Amino acid sequence: MSDHYVKAKVQLEQMKNLGQDHGDGDQELVSPPSPSVSPSTPNTPTSTDPSITTSSTIPSKYRGRSRGKLFKDNTLTHISAANAERNLNQLGYELTLNIKGTGKILEGKSEPNGNYVKSGVSKSFQETRFEDGVKTGRKRRPVTVDTSKAKTSLEALKISIKQLKWKEFPLGRRAACDIYWHGVSFHDNENIVSGQVNKFPGMVEMLRKINMSRAVRTMQDIFPEEYDFYPRSWILPDEYQQFSTQIRMVKENDSTVNPTFIVKPDGGSQGDGIYLIRDPSDLKLVSGSHAKQGVVQEYIQKPLLIDKLKFDIRLYVLIKSLEPLEIYIAKEGLTRFCTEPYQEPSQKNLSHVFMHLTNYSLNVHSENFVHSDSQNTGSKRTLSSVLYRLAAKGVDIKRVWSDIIALVIKTTIAVVPELKVYYQADIPPGKPGPTCFQILGFDILLMKNLKPVLLEVNSNPSMRIEHEQEMTPGVFEYVPSPVDEEVKVGVIRDTLRLMDPGQKKTTISQSKPGVLDVTPLDAESQEKSPEESVALPSLCLKQVYPKYAKQFNHLRLVERISSLFIRFLGVKGNMRLGPTAFRTFIRTCKLSNTNFTMASVDILYIDITRRWSGAAADVREAGMGLQAFVEAFFNLAGRRFKSLPLKEQAAAMLDLCEAQLDPQPASEDRRSLSCGRAPPRTVRSQTGYLANNTHINSPTPTRRASSQDQRLHHRLKPHPLRSNVEN
Ligand code: ADP
């Protein structure tokens, strides 16, 4: 257990002894839980039962519209002196613990999210001491933020920095800043060696449609039921044959089935280049002399409708750290509505983008688009307004929200293994560099049966808080968009608060398995510094991982494979395994024998690498990437543990390899492997499978291909309709 965890645990114990209900660890997660009631603090209105709530009971923080409204809100300023004093005492106590326990970072120590801190104490702030709740120390130096590369996030970022009373450097700064806010990618500013950057290396690449589909598919191969929230997808052009054969077979088997598919270009966004088809022959596979890269995906034909319109949810998710994995979800999001009433796809309406695509960037050009200052009307609404509306119709929105959280955690778990490969290549362990965090935009569709479906994840979600409006014909102006501002400023400001270098480390607590007991619309009591407790609303970002780790940790198998992969990469900055390194892996893990000679190992390497090199869009280096290695790993596991299902094969193989690599006590944290800035160590897992002595036989077809074929006719299983909703 790392220091961080030990300190957090001690802190939690002490708080419990003082009779403070932290509200995380002791929740009863039985399905479905009664709505949680947050302790009523001056600035955290008591939560209400969402199923009986009407719009008038929406916490006022969701109602504020104009800039700076949160500070003027009565609920925030009417604090009784007694309450304020009590809060300050409590918070002062927490902060003292924090400074004693977690505030100082010793020289050369690696931080939990991978940073390597050189100085004795985090120098980003001057320590403020509290004794018995009384402020005795110097004033904190404001946190510095380089906003020179913020691009379209700039406006929301400026407001956030102002609210926090931090210091903005709009033109950059010669000295290091605490936080660098990038508009596009990790590499917007080069040569950052300290502080924190709001992008992870490789996130843009990882979330492109092809990579994302592959990563989720790997998880679908191992955990088909857990990952049934992502529509069946085929990679173009590589899997065109597979796609057309499968569709032909489906139609031959049942002539009443007439599925529709949506085709998406790989690097596309905002609906660009997207079209619907009903027959594989309608695919446009080439552009000029180039094969078009993209995905073709099962089209969800029965979405949930409101006002007869299709809509999707934009949810903001903060990846606070990769190691340990920390995920936060914004309790408020946006919903984007189509502008033409929905009809199930037919040959006639396939090209009606205002009916089928929810992209704001497309629908804003429809004459039906409604810009509204209200959050619960118009073509862009807050998520809470939609959830209240559904709750009023009897929908179990707690269940919906719980499913959405599970989708977010599972999707993140699917992309983390490859992100770790990118991370170690850009910021190798032991070298100075920044730490990273990132706000992602999850696009989620609710099916008619209320099951959430993942459409895509945006590495660079729009943080614009104004929209273009045609003032007079042909003359456009940017005008403030209250709905965007309400949601996005909150997300950016609270991300900054969570990343505050002077803030105590997050207390990590885990819940019991069951339904995820998070209410989307409540205002929960959150930890805040004394300064913040007076001025700022409670955090709109809610930790979901590691809070719900117990329910999801079993899914982190590929991450363990990725740790093996990283261990054998060797050269710093490398992302691909050469043939020698692959041989070393086989030898070290003792995976070859008389039935599976090193010559067979070489053949396996060449076979898989060649196939994946042909498949990848932008392969510039030779060698075996992570996805290819995962396939090789499954292949090896399939030979050795023939009789087991894939997930157990993989787990058993991991146990075998990890035992060979690092015969350390099983209690050690295996996840300290890859993203820490200290040299990687492998630790044995606890899955309990013993390697049997089954000899490796002659090559079998690759596991990935066969398991995919098994899923050929597997459709997204509709959940029972939970309520009577409009469609
Ligand atoms: P882009 O990055 O170009 O916005 P998306 O994957 O988000 O691409 O798709 C654009 C829109 O198409 C979505 O907002 C959604 O309305 C619709 N859409 C995408 N995938 C599906 C699907 N599988 N089923 C139904 N509608 C979809």
Side-chain angles (χ1 to χ4, degrees):
M1 206 188 264
S2 71
D3 283 352
H4 176 58
Y5 283 77
V6 173
K7 282 166 192 159
K9 203 174 159 217
V10 169
Q11 187 178 338
L12 202 63
E13 290 297 313
Q14 284 169 314
M15 285 169 70
K16 274 188 184 150
N17 291 342
L18 274 187
Q20 292 185 23
D21 178 13
H22 194 262
D24 278 345
D26 297 328
Q27 289 166 358
E28 198 54 58
L29 297 176
V30 188
S31 168
S34 60
S36 70
V37 177
S38 309
S40 180
T41 59
N43 53 357
T44 53
T46 307
S47 69
T48 47
D49 182 344
S51 61
I52 54 167
T53 305
T54 64
S55 58
S56 64
T57 61
I58 297 174
S60 54
K61 74 181 192 116
Y62 295 117
R63 276 189 253 126
R65 280 192 286 111
S66 60
R67 196 159 299 163
K69 174 101 179 4
L70 290 167
F71 296 98
K72 293 171 202 148
D73 194 315
N74 287 342
T75 56
L76 301 179
T77 49
H78 285 181
I79 303 171
S80 79
N83 269 347
E85 193 183 346
R86 194 181 61 231
N87 275 356
L88 201 63
N89 280 338
Q90 286 176 354
L91 289 158
Y93 172 74
E94 286 174 19
L95 200 72
T96 308
L97 267 182
N98 170 39
I99 291 168
K100 284 181 186 158
T102 57
K104 291 190 179 180
I105 301 156
L106 298 176
E107 182 152 357
K109 198 177 170 189
S110 56
E111 280 194 309
N113 59 353
N115 201 9
Y116 186 78
V117 181
K118 284 172 286 176
S119 57
V121 178
S122 175
K123 289 202 174 67
S124 58
F125 70 106
Q126 291 174 352
E127 211 169 84
T128 307
R129 290 187 182 280
F130 290 82
E131 279 161 23
D132 300 320
V134 182
K135 197 171 170 181
T136 59
R138 287 166 292 160
K139 241 196 139 195
R140 204 177 132 178
R141 172 173 75 72
V143 179
T144 53
V145 187
D146 179 333
T147 60
S148 61
K149 307 283 182 197
K151 302 210 164 172
T152 53
S153 323
L154 191 59
E155 180 133 4
L157 185 59
K158 274 180 186 296
I159 297 171
S160 303
I161 293 171
K162 218 170 179 179
Q163 291 183 358
L164 294 168
K165 300 194 173 67
W166 289 6
K167 196 162 168 48
E168 182 196 353
F169 286 86
L171 302 175
R173 190 192 190 198
R174 198 168 296 187
C177 274
D178 297 313
I179 293 176
Y180 295 83
W181 198 275
H182 290 181
V184 181
S185 85
F186 176 76
H187 294 285
D188 287 358
N189 272 302
E190 291 295 348
N191 305 321
I192 301 173
V193 292
S194 65
Q196 308 182 75
V197 178
N198 71 322
K199 305 278 180 200
F200 280 98
M203 190 69 93
V204 174
E205 293 80 355
M206 208 35 237
L207 297 183
R208 285 167 72 105
K209 293 179 170 62
I210 289 182
N211 271 341
M212 172 79 191
S213 296
R214 283 197 201 283
V216 176
R217 186 192 294 172
T218 298
M219 298 305 285
Q220 288 176 328
D221 284 348
I222 318 174
F223 305 100
E225 308 214 322
E226 303 254 23
Y227 280 83
D228 69 352
F229 57 82
Y230 190 66
R232 216 161 7 148
S233 306
W234 295 261
I235 311 296
L236 296 174
D238 302 346
E239 295 171 0
Y240 172 74
Q241 276 313 329
Q242 228 172 314
F243 168 62
S244 67
T245 311
Q246 290 179 9
I247 302 316
R248 202 185 58 238
M249 282 165 64
V250 168
K251 287 183 176 173
E252 277 170 9
N253 284 347
D254 183 349
S255 58
T256 61
V257 176
N258 197 3
T260 303
F261 301 92
I262 183 163
V263 188
K264 310 180 186 182
D266 186 35
S269 64
Q270 304 189 329
D272 277 353
I274 289 190
Y275 59 97
L276 305 187
I277 58 168
R278 304 202 93 186
D279 193 276
S281 62
D282 294 331
L283 265 171
K284 298 163 199 156
L285 283 169
V286 286
S287 150
S289 55
H290 287 102
K292 285 188 179 175
Q293 306 279 342
V295 297
V296 55
Q297 189 172 80
E298 178 182 5
Y299 186 74
I300 305 302
Q301 310 216 27
K302 293 184 191 300
L304 180 69
L305 305 181
I306 288 185
D307 300 334
K308 298 191 169 60
L309 300 170
K310 175 174 172 178
F311 68 96
D312 77 347
I313 297 169
R314 162 57 58 86
L315 199 68
Y316 297 96
V317 172
L318 168 67
I319 309 296
K320 185 166 181 271
S321 132
L322 280 188
E323 189 68 54
L325 184 58
E326 283 186 64
I327 308 171
Y328 287 73
I329 294 187
K331 287 188 277 184
E332 184 60 290
L334 293 170
T335 50
R336 289 91 46 103
F337 281 72
C338 278
T339 42
E340 196 177 306
Y342 185 77
Q343 286 165 12
E344 283 198 27
S346 67
Q347 204 56 47
K348 267 197 199 150
N349 70 26
L350 282 189
S351 61
H352 292 208
V353 289
F354 297 149
M355 175 189 288
H356 292 295
L357 307 187
T358 49
N359 299 81
Y360 163 80
S361 50
L362 293 173
N363 284 282
V364 75
H365 299 296
S366 157
E367 57 186 26
N368 296 334
F369 192 92
V370 181
H371 288 288
S372 171
D373 279 1
S374 156
Q375 301 186 6
N376 45 19
T377 58
S379 299
K380 201 189 257 187
R381 308 180 195 176
T382 56
L383 174 57
S384 58
S385 77
V386 166
L387 290 177
Y388 275 114
R389 178 121 177 226
L390 295 177
K393 285 172 182 276
V395 170
D396 179 359
I397 58 166
K398 270 197 140 187
R399 179 83 219 183
V400 172
W401 188 245
S402 167
D403 288 348
I404 288 176
I405 292 173
L407 175 155
V408 167
I409 295 173
K410 288 173 185 175
T411 305
T412 308
I413 286 176
V415 297
V416 160
E418 201 140 5
L419 279 179
K420 285 188 164 181
V421 177
Y422 278 102
Y423 194 98
Q424 62 80 40
D426 266 303
I427 315 173
K431 274 182 83 181
T435 51
C436 305
F437 61 94
Q438 187 151 358
I439 298 170
L440 302 176
F442 276 65
D443 289 350
I444 295 166
L445 191 72
L446 288 181
M447 294 190 357
K448 189 180 173 185
N449 62 9
L450 300 170
K451 180 181 164 61
V453 170
L454 177 69
L455 299 177
E456 70 157 348
V457 186
N458 288 276
S459 59
N460 201 8
S462 164
M463 286 293 169
R464 258 189 202 285
I465 53 172
E466 66 282 296
H467 61 78
E468 238 179 58
Q469 207 165 20
E470 195 167 15
M471 308 310 275
T472 51
V475 181
F476 290 87
E477 253 182 40
Y478 278 111
V479 295
S481 166
V483 175
D484 285 287
E485 183 173 330
E486 170 72 20
V487 175
K488 293 174 184 175
V489 170
V491 170
I492 292 187
R493 183 197 59 229
D494 289 352
T495 294
L496 289 174
R497 283 162 83 186
L498 284 168
M499 301 318 299
D500 180 348
Q503 186 80 300
K504 67 177 168 181
K505 299 277 175 272
T506 321
T507 303
I508 294 177
S509 60
Q510 295 188 2
S511 67
K512 296 170 195 159
V515 170
L516 310 183
D517 187 19
V518 177
T519 42
L521 306 175
D522 63 351
E524 292 175 42
S525 116
Q526 295 280 345
E527 293 170 25
K528 280 178 275 179
S529 73
E531 290 142 84
E532 281 185 344
S533 71
V534 180
L536 295 170
S538 58
L539 284 175
C540 69
L541 293 163
K542 167 86 194 167
Q543 192 199 78
V544 293
Y545 200 95
K547 179 167 178 161
Y548 300 119
K550 276 190 195 137
Q551 286 107 303
F552 300 98
N553 267 346
H554 66 285
L555 302 174
R556 297 179 72 178
L557 270 187
V558 180
E559 206 176 326
R560 288 169 65 196
I561 302 177
S562 146
S563 297
L564 281 179
F565 177 77
I566 290 169
R567 186 175 176 129
F568 286 95
L569 276 179
V571 184
K572 280 179 182 168
N574 209 357
M575 290 186 57
R576 284 166 182 278
L577 215 58
T580 312
F582 189 68
R583 281 173 143 250
T584 309
F585 155 67
I586 298 283
R587 280 217 181 91
T588 315
C589 295
K590 300 194 172 45
L591 299 178
S592 68
N593 53 35
T594 46
N595 288 328
F596 186 58
T597 62
M598 290 312 281
S600 313
V601 169
D602 291 340
I603 291 169
L604 178 71
Y605 176 88
I606 291 167
D607 174 37
I608 292 183
T609 306
R610 199 174 274 165
R611 223 155 7 83
W612 278 88
S613 302
D618 53 356
V619 174
R620 275 167 243 120
E621 300 169 59
M624 180 181 262
L626 177 66
Q627 291 280 341
F629 181 75
V630 170
E631 180 177 329
F633 192 87
F634 287 171
N635 184 298
L636 294 165
R639 293 160 188 261
R640 184 164 283 244
F641 302 101
K642 270 201 203 106
S643 55
L644 298 176
L646 176 60
K647 108 176 135 202
E648 288 169 25
Q649 284 177 355
M653 189 72 168
L654 276 163
D655 285 351
L656 181 70
C657 294
E658 288 166 357
Q660 294 299 338
L661 285 168
D662 210 354
Q664 283 185 24
S667 59
E668 195 93 18
D669 179 10
R670 84 169 79 90
R671 281 175 291 123
S672 64
L673 255 177
S674 50
C675 268
R677 312 300 302 282
R681 296 173 299 146
T682 312
V683 176
R684 191 191 294 188
S685 77
Q686 298 174 48
T687 42
Y689 292 108
L690 288 174
N692 67 21
N693 288 327
T694 317
H695 286 293
I696 294 174
N697 296 313
S698 56
T700 51
T702 59
R703 184 72 215 199
R704 177 186 299 273
S706 62
S707 66
Q708 170 139 8
D709 288 342
Q710 278 168 16
R711 289 189 303 111
L712 210 149
H713 300 294
H714 169 78
R715 299 186 66 80
L716 285 168
K717 280 185 234 104
H719 282 197
L721 192 63
R722 293 197 192 100
S723 66
N724 186 18
V725 286
E726 181 182 5
N727 198 348

